[in-house]
Amino acid sequence: MLSSQRGREAKNIPPYPGPNRMRDCYCTVNLDQEEVFRTKIVEKSLCPFYGEDFYCEIPRSFRHLSFYIFDRDVFRRDYSIGKVAVKKEDLQKYHGKDTWFQLQPVSADSEVQGKVHLELRLSEVITDSGVISHKLCQGLPIVNGQCDPYAAVSLLGPSRSDAKKTKVKRKTNNPQFEEVFYFEVKFGDEFLGGVRVPLRVLGQAGVHDAWYFLQPRENGGKSVKVEELGSLRLNIVYTEDHVFPSEHYTPLRDLLLYSSNVEPVSASTAHILGEVCREKQEAAIPLVRLFLHYGSIVPFISAIAHAEVNRTQDPNTIFRGNSLTSKCIDETMKLAGMHYLQVTLKPIIDEICAEHKPCEIDPVKLKESENLDTNRENLRQYVDRIFNVITTSGVRCPTVMCDIFFSLRESAATRFQVDQDVRYTAVSSFIFLRFFAPAILSPNLFHLRPHHPVSFTAKPNNIKLNDNMLISPFHAFIPLKANFKESYMAAFYEYFNEQKYADAVKNVSVLDMYKSYSGFQWCYSCLFLFRFMIKRAQGRNRFGIKNFKKRWFRLTNHEFTYHKTKGEGALCSIPIENILAVERLEEESFKMKNMFQVIQPERALYIQANNCVEARDWIDILTKVSQCNRKRLSTYHPSAYLNGHWLCCKLSADTAPGCTPCTGGLPANIQLDVDGDRETERIYSLFSTYMTKLIKMQEACGSKSVYDGPEQEEYSSFVIDDPQETYKTLKQIVSAVQTLEQQHTKYKRDKFKKTKIGSQEHPIGDKSFQCYIRQQSESSTYSI
């Protein structure tokens, strides 16, 4: 399951009940009630604009994707204003659409998640007439000549209990109550959820055994007018795919991987996917991941880039549009260059955030205590230092990016031989404007800063870097007309209008040194991640107690350490070369979620992250920094060693080799957690979704082959250089998609027959599965 959310903006937030009336708001993204992302704080606004993208792979099942708006007051306390909770089964309604959602009130009665297993039984009594009667009780004693019974049912907890009782049944020792009992499941004073079960579910058998989803309290919460809480604009992209074994994808995968060899490349399967998708980004993400996984990304991008350059008439517009080439290069840089970004930018970004120097150069926004010349000099120094670390980082650029840039440069130089600068501008626009600039403007999205750093969110605009300020030195070489609406920006640009900046941009655009090294070389220590997490004692002391403690963890490219608190000396330091594997730890080991293990030669360090996405991030980055270790393990134990044996394989020796293959193993130059079959399944889903466009494209091929006149308007959006070759590929695509469609139909039918409602996998109250059942009952076999 993949999810991408763009938290755009909120409006009409209720004013603060004080003289200021403005609020400092931020937004969180939650899987049910588990926070996985937090935006920056927008100060002093009742219509905050966030404009932040968040993309993650969802590592567990969920019922709601929720968004909460919080206000932070002057005492740094956070108060929830409202929320948007989208049910899992409703996500497709809003897929890829900008939608305004009304904020709903947040109350303890509605914040429910989890499931409960219930087993109910009634005793059976055969009456004189032979009828089987289900009773809660029978044969009660008669005291003093009478029996007026009632039943009391209690739910006992660790801190409190709750009891219910039935009505009194007069003059009978075999009462039938037939009443429904409803209990609120509580821990302390927190409502966790409830289940209402009518006794009729017991049926003739008198037994009911099923799993239920916990539900919110009926009619709970305060009566708040929804329109008073404001609204939130979101763009949600959610995909969920069922992945078959690898052999099912062979025909479609072979067509895709052969794309770089097809002449012309516009007739290839990968290029056709870009033509039929509504947005190029939609096609670029799975294509890039698939080609990276199979080591074929450079020839593919080289082929589509060469074709695009040949179609470009003006060298000043080369790669300026949102073409398939541009989106694929963007996605490749994002995946292959993440490590490069962290090594290059993180130290200077951290330093800027720590210094908090004023940098506002707009005279209108200048504070009374600030000096314009001082601020301008602070900003100039920051931009100059960022520019220098970028332009001197070429030797650390990943090989795959260097290969792509070399191909772009050669294609541009061959196409526009008169323009001597085009070989540089073709590359510099990607390196500076589409790779480094977004990371500097939104460092939290590229793991250069925490999602919500405590010391930085209070003044999120302290640096005041914007697009124009950032690209000023790059404009000194890139032949774009540097027009600024603000006069103060035009003056700032003059600082960088010197030849030395143009020469520096040219040098890093050439990257001729890329052939002289192999792989990625670290030149200095770089801090990657730091967080408070929970860890279990490693047992380094023979008689030490192995309990769980909260520690401050710190990761650099040299060592992984933990400290009692931030800023104190390390309690334990694990050299990167001693990390043999980093894997998830099964929840059953300690009955704790979001745990992972850092395996060392003599022991494993067990750690609990704050949420599932953070656990995945730590596993990914720890795996990447240790990927070149020569003694990395090929197998590991997915469960802990407790009570003298491994919980997973039951072996008693703590040195026993692992029982499960490790999940790592991709090339050291670019470590990616990519499943090639999953990406092929995603591409199949896109082709299936846009099948009508594939048919239109076939018609366009026929039209171009038969008629020499002007092209029909409905076909003009397709790039078709060779109608016969394109039609041939389209026919193969339709055949491969049809085969997979039949396999999916069979899988859904089999799943529908085998599924038991009320099982742990599909509890009663699972509305997403009920929706699935309804779709299966209403739909017939789909054929192409």
Side-chain angles (χ1 to χ4, degrees):
M1 292 178 287
L2 301 175
S3 181
S4 175
Q5 301 91 30
R6 180 171 297 172
R8 293 189 181 277
E9 60 181 319
K11 67 179 180 181
N12 301 328
I13 300 295
Y16 185 79
N20 185 18
R21 298 180 65 80
M22 293 292 104
R23 293 186 182 268
D24 299 340
C25 296
Y26 65 89
C27 179
T28 67
V29 182
N30 296 56
L31 293 176
D32 296 321
Q33 274 75 60
E34 182 182 10
E35 180 183 321
V36 295
F37 177 74
R38 182 179 295 194
T39 69
K40 63 187 177 184
I41 293 178
V42 177
E43 294 182 319
K44 300 178 182 179
S45 175
L46 300 180
C47 296
F49 179 82
Y50 301 106
E52 296 191 34
D53 292 342
F54 172 63
Y55 171 89
C56 75
E57 182 170 341
I58 300 176
R60 65 169 177 83
S61 60
F62 67 100
R63 295 167 65 185
H64 293 87
L65 181 64
S66 304
F67 304 83
Y68 292 77
I69 296 292
F70 287 90
D71 175 37
R72 176 167 291 182
D73 65 11
V74 293
F75 301 105
R76 304 186 65 79
R77 295 175 299 191
D78 297 336
Y79 296 95
S80 59
I81 296 175
K83 71 174 183 179
V84 172
V86 184
K87 297 177 182 178
K88 180 182 177 182
E89 59 267 25
D90 293 337
L91 287 172
Q92 286 301 322
K93 294 180 184 178
Y94 310 108
H95 180 84
K97 302 175 183 176
D98 264 346
T99 308
W100 282 100
F101 295 88
Q102 290 289 334
L103 289 174
Q104 303 295 324
V106 179
S107 68
D109 294 336
S110 64
E111 302 296 288
V112 172
Q113 69 180 74
K115 50 192 173 184
V116 63
H117 183 213
L118 298 179
E119 183 176 351
L120 306 177
R121 293 180 182 273
L122 286 180
S123 60
E124 294 183 355
V125 178
I126 301 179
T127 64
D128 294 338
S129 61
V131 178
I132 297 178
S133 175
H134 297 102
K135 296 177 177 292
L136 286 175
C137 51
Q138 60 175 329
L140 300 176
I142 298 176
V143 180
N144 297 326
Q146 64 180 24
C147 183
D148 299 330
Y150 65 89
V153 182
S154 300
L155 180 67
L156 303 178
S159 59
R160 62 181 295 174
S161 61
D162 196 4
K164 306 280 186 182
K165 68 178 183 178
T166 67
K167 296 178 181 178
V168 176
K169 298 294 182 180
R170 300 290 182 183
K171 300 179 181 180
T172 178
N173 65 341
N174 293 302
Q176 295 187 39
F177 298 107
E178 297 182 354
E179 296 187 32
V180 177
F181 298 98
Y182 173 65
F183 288 94
E184 298 173 358
V185 181
K186 294 189 175 185
F187 180 80
D189 292 323
E190 294 294 330
F191 175 75
L192 299 180
V195 175
R196 184 181 292 269
V197 184
L199 289 182
R200 65 174 178 270
V201 302
L202 294 168
Q204 292 296 322
V207 177
H208 181 65
D209 186 342
W211 283 86
Y212 283 81
F213 269 131
L214 293 173
Q215 302 295 337
R217 179 184 283 142
E218 293 186 1
N219 299 323
K222 301 177 182 179
S223 57
V224 178
K225 292 183 179 180
V226 173
E227 60 268 18
E228 294 179 356
L229 299 178
S231 53
L232 180 65
R233 184 161 68 107
L234 301 168
N235 189 315
I236 303 173
V237 176
Y238 174 80
T239 63
E240 181 175 345
D241 300 309
H242 171 76
V243 182
F244 289 117
S246 185
E247 60 269 14
H248 290 72
Y249 300 104
T250 300
L252 181 57
R253 182 174 57 243
D254 289 348
L255 284 173
L256 289 162
L257 296 179
Y258 190 68
S259 294
S260 58
N261 299 320
V262 175
E263 288 289 346
V265 73
S266 60
S268 68
T269 303
H271 194 278
I272 289 173
L273 179 66
E275 289 297 297
V276 299
C277 284
R278 184 177 58 183
E279 295 182 2
K280 303 298 183 185
Q281 182 77 5
E282 205 172 13
I285 292 175
L287 284 176
V288 166
R289 295 172 71 88
L290 180 72
F291 282 105
L292 276 171
H293 180 72
Y294 287 100
S296 305
I297 190 65
V298 175
F300 168 63
I301 288 183
S302 298
I304 60 175
H306 184 73
E308 180 174 334
V309 169
N310 288 338
R311 288 193 295 268
T312 304
Q313 302 301 318
D314 184 355
N316 291 324
T317 62
I318 192 169
F319 300 129
R320 290 289 185 263
N322 290 322
S323 63
L324 180 64
T325 304
S326 298
K327 291 300 182 182
C328 283
I329 295 175
D330 288 347
E331 190 65 23
T332 302
M333 292 190 301
K334 187 186 300 182
L335 293 172
M338 185 65 71
H339 205 97
Y340 175 36
L341 277 178
Q342 291 174 337
V343 171
T344 303
L345 292 180
K346 188 164 179 40
I348 182 65
I349 294 293
D350 286 344
E351 186 178 339
I352 291 173
C353 292
E355 290 179 349
H356 283 295
K357 290 183 178 179
C359 297
E360 180 60 73
I361 63 172
D362 184 351
V364 177
K365 299 179 180 180
L366 204 67
K367 296 180 179 179
E368 294 183 1
S369 60
E370 295 177 351
N371 180 274
L372 183 60
D373 291 335
T374 301
N375 288 9
R376 189 183 290 118
E377 179 60 20
N378 291 339
L379 181 60
R380 187 197 66 78
Q381 290 182 10
Y382 281 150
V383 174
D384 195 46
R385 290 170 62 189
I386 292 175
F387 179 79
N388 286 333
V389 298
I390 292 174
T391 53
T392 57
S393 68
V395 71
R396 296 190 297 274
C397 185
T399 305
V400 65
M401 289 174 59
C402 292
D403 290 342
I404 290 172
F405 294 151
F406 177 80
S407 176
L408 297 184
R409 191 167 66 250
E410 293 303 302
S411 294
T414 303
R415 175 71 174 86
F416 301 102
Q417 297 182 13
V418 177
D419 192 328
Q420 297 299 314
D421 292 334
V422 71
R423 67 177 64 204
Y424 310 119
T425 57
V427 175
S428 59
S429 61
F430 282 107
I431 296 177
F432 297 117
L433 305 185
R434 304 179 77 138
F435 181 58
F436 283 111
I440 297 171
L441 296 174
S442 302
N444 59 312
L445 299 181
F446 294 84
H447 304 290
L448 300 177
R449 294 291 296 173
H451 289 318
H452 44 91
V454 175
S455 61
F456 192 55
T457 50
K459 295 180 179 294
N461 297 320
N462 185 65
I463 301 175
K464 295 292 183 183
L465 286 177
N466 61 37
D467 291 288
N468 288 333
M469 297 173 186
L470 184 65
I471 66 176
S472 291
F474 308 136
H475 271 311
F477 179 75
I478 300 173
L480 298 174
K481 191 175 181 181
N483 291 325
F484 300 103
K485 296 179 180 179
E486 307 90 348
S487 59
Y488 63 86
M489 277 306 309
F492 185 75
Y493 166 73
E494 291 302 319
Y495 281 127
F496 304 97
N497 192 15
E498 300 179 12
Q499 187 60 36
K500 66 177 182 179
Y501 293 105
D503 293 339
V505 172
K506 182 184 295 186
N507 289 336
V508 80
S509 299
V510 174
L511 289 171
D512 280 335
M513 73 290 289
Y514 82 98
K515 293 182 181 179
S516 63
Y517 72 98
S518 176
F520 190 87
Q521 299 296 323
W522 285 314
C523 297
Y524 50 88
S525 178
C526 179
L527 178 62
F528 292 134
L529 279 179
F530 47 89
R531 290 285 194 282
F532 271 113
M533 294 190 291
I534 307 295
K535 70 95 185 175
R536 182 176 186 264
Q538 303 180 75
R540 292 176 293 154
N541 298 325
R542 184 176 180 181
F543 301 104
I545 300 176
K546 295 183 179 180
N547 55 359
F548 288 88
K549 293 183 179 179
K550 189 175 183 179
R551 293 289 183 255
W552 175 260
F553 284 82
R554 186 174 182 271
L555 173 65
T556 72
N557 57 310
H558 292 310
E559 61 181 353
F560 182 48
T561 61
Y562 60 79
H563 314 245
K564 190 171 184 179
T565 60
K566 181 180 178 181
E568 288 193 3
L571 297 176
C572 177
S573 174
I574 304 174
I576 295 300
E577 57 266 23
N578 284 358
I579 297 178
L580 306 183
V582 184
E583 300 287 348
R584 292 190 180 276
L585 187 71
E586 290 185 355
E587 182 180 333
E588 289 74 13
S589 297
F590 300 105
K591 308 300 180 185
M592 297 169 67
K593 295 179 179 293
N594 307 320
M595 291 203 70
F596 63 96
Q597 51 183 317
V598 180
I599 304 172
Q600 307 161 68
E602 297 180 356
R603 63 183 66 87
L605 174 62
Y606 299 134
I607 304 172
Q608 183 187 35
N610 296 303
N611 58 61
C612 58
V613 173
E614 187 174 300
R616 185 182 184 87
D617 288 344
W618 275 101
I619 293 172
D620 286 347
I621 190 65
L622 281 165
T623 299
K624 288 175 182 176
V625 298
S626 63
Q627 63 190 345
C628 296
N629 292 350
R630 295 180 180 180
K631 296 183 180 180
R632 280 187 63 86
L633 298 177
S634 58
T635 59
Y636 77 107
H637 293 283
S639 295
Y641 183 83
L642 294 174
N643 302 323
H645 68 277
W646 293 100
L647 299 182
C648 45
C649 58
K650 309 304 180 185
L651 294 177
S652 58
D654 60 354
T655 57
C659 56
T660 303
C662 290
T663 56
L666 290 177
N669 183 51
I670 172 171
Q671 182 84 9
L672 294 172
D673 183 15
V674 175
D675 183 340
D677 296 333
R678 180 173 186 169
E679 302 308 325
T680 311
E681 168 65 27
R682 181 92 292 273
I683 292 170
Y684 148 75
S685 297
L686 290 172
F687 275 134
S688 181
T689 301
Y690 295 108
M691 180 54 64
T692 55
K693 282 195 173 183
L694 285 174
I695 303 302
K696 281 284 185 185
M697 200 169 183
Q698 283 184 317
E699 295 173 358
C701 289
S703 177
K704 293 195 71 169
S705 298
V706 175
Y707 301 105
D708 295 328
E711 190 173 23
Q712 295 186 37
E713 185 176 350
E714 60 179 325
Y715 303 144
S716 61
S717 60
F718 299 124
V719 175
I720 302 175
D721 297 319
D722 187 328
Q724 287 81 10
E725 192 66 28
T726 304
Y727 186 87
K728 175 183 172 183
T729 304
L730 285 165
K731 193 173 181 180
Q732 293 173 316
I733 293 172
V734 170
S735 175
V737 172
Q738 181 180 19
T739 301
L740 282 169
E741 186 70 45
Q742 293 169 350
Q743 293 166 348
H744 275 284
T745 300
K746 182 179 183 302
Y747 164 77
K748 290 176 181 178
R749 284 178 173 174
D750 293 343
K751 181 180 178 181
F752 178 70
K753 292 177 181 178
K754 297 177 182 178
T755 298
K756 178 184 176 183
I757 300 178
S759 63
Q760 187 172 3
E761 182 182 5
H762 298 289
I764 295 174
D766 184 355
K767 294 184 179 180
S768 63
F769 184 68
Q770 293 173 358
C771 179
Y772 168 78
I773 292 176
R774 186 170 61 253
Q775 292 173 352
Q776 291 303 303
S777 62
E778 294 174 352
S779 64
S780 58
T781 303
Y782 177 75
S783 60
I784 300 174

